[in-house]
């Protein structure tokens, strides 16, 4: 099991095509993935376990053409029919990977998330999900997102599309541990990367995705 401190900044993206064109000039493209997240919770408990099924769509920047970076779910299609993805990607789908993640989340000053994260990979999701059901857990939230990832130094840069919410940029640094001073240094670094991406601080989104999805599904 891997335990890390995740320091993350999230911002809304109004023009994903321009962002991609910018990133291709200075960041290293690492691939595109479809992530299907189930959040398991139990009544009277303040903990959740995320079970993520992740599938690689393509890997090489040479097959990544900005002109074709038209998110396939920008209309009313939704994410229900994954066959819709096949004509829009090049290369193999790859092997599905399954990860279980437990996070202790908090939003600190300047709208950064600092999460204590423990994660492990499983060969099959069904035994884990059967255990969670028998232990009184049930699925409380589902989130699907299409993610393109770049790296610049030790910073992960992800352009994410969530059908109900739109496009977001996620900037993330991982640390073995993070005291207040280290968090402050990381916050400043993430803001500098955000500026390099051409996105203003007014676009920063301090709320968690689960809060945004709950509001969207209530019609808020």
């Amino acid at each position: 099991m891997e335990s890390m401190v995740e320091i993350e900044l999230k911002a809304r993206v109004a023009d994903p095509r321009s962002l991609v064109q910018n990133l291709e000039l200075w960041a290293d493209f690492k691939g595109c993935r479809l992530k299907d997240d189930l959040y398991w919770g139990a009544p009277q408990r303040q903990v959740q376990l995320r079970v993520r099924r992740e599938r690689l769509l393509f890997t090489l920047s040479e097959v990544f053409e900005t002109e074709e970076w038209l998110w396939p779910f920008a209309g009313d299609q939704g994410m229900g029919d994954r066959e819709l993805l096949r004509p829009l990607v090049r290369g193999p789908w790859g092997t599905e990977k399954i990860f279980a993640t437990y996070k202790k989340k908090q939003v600190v000053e300047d709208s950064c998330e600092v999460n204590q994260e423990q994660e492990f990979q499983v060969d099959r999701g069904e035994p884990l999900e059967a255990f969670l059901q028998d232990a009184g857990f049930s699925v409380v939230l589902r989130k699907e997102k299409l993610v393109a990832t770049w790296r610049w130094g030790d910073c992960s840069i992800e352009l994410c599309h969530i059908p109900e919410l739109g496009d977001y940029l996620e900037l993330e640094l991982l640390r073995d541990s993070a005291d207040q001073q280290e968090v402050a240094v990381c916050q400043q670094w993430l803001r500098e990367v955000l500026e390099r991406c051409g996105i203003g601080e007014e676009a920063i989104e301090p709320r968690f995705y689960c809060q945004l999805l709950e509001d969207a599904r209530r019609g808020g």
Side-chain angles (χ1 to χ4, degrees), residues 145-184:
K145 63 181 180 179
L146 187 61
V147 179
T149 302
W150 290 260
R151 287 199 71 85
W152 191 51
D154 64 347
C155 183
S156 172
I157 303 170
E158 293 188 341
L159 173 58
C160 305
H161 180 78
I162 301 174
E164 295 167 85
L165 302 178
D167 300 310
Y168 289 83
L169 178 68
E170 295 180 28
L171 306 177
E172 179 185 280
L173 294 168
L174 294 178
R175 296 292 184 262
D176 294 329
S177 61
D179 57 22
Q180 188 173 358
Q181 183 176 1
E182 176 72 10
V183 169

Side-chain angles (χ1 to χ4, degrees), residues 117-134:
E117 176 181 289
Q118 298 188 65
E119 183 172 86
F120 59 92
Q121 186 173 351
V122 296
D123 294 330
R124 295 173 55 236
E126 290 78 7
L128 175 60
E129 292 173 353
F131 166 77
L132 290 170
Q133 288 179 329
D134 290 346

Side-chain angles (χ1 to χ4, degrees), residues 15 28 34 37 57 63 145 165 170 172-173 190 211 218:
D15 188 348
D28 296 323
L34 181 64
D37 295 342
L57 300 184
V63 305
K145 63 181 180 179
L165 302 178
E170 295 180 28
E172 179 185 280
L173 294 168
L190 292 177
Q211 296 171 307
R218 285 198 305 262

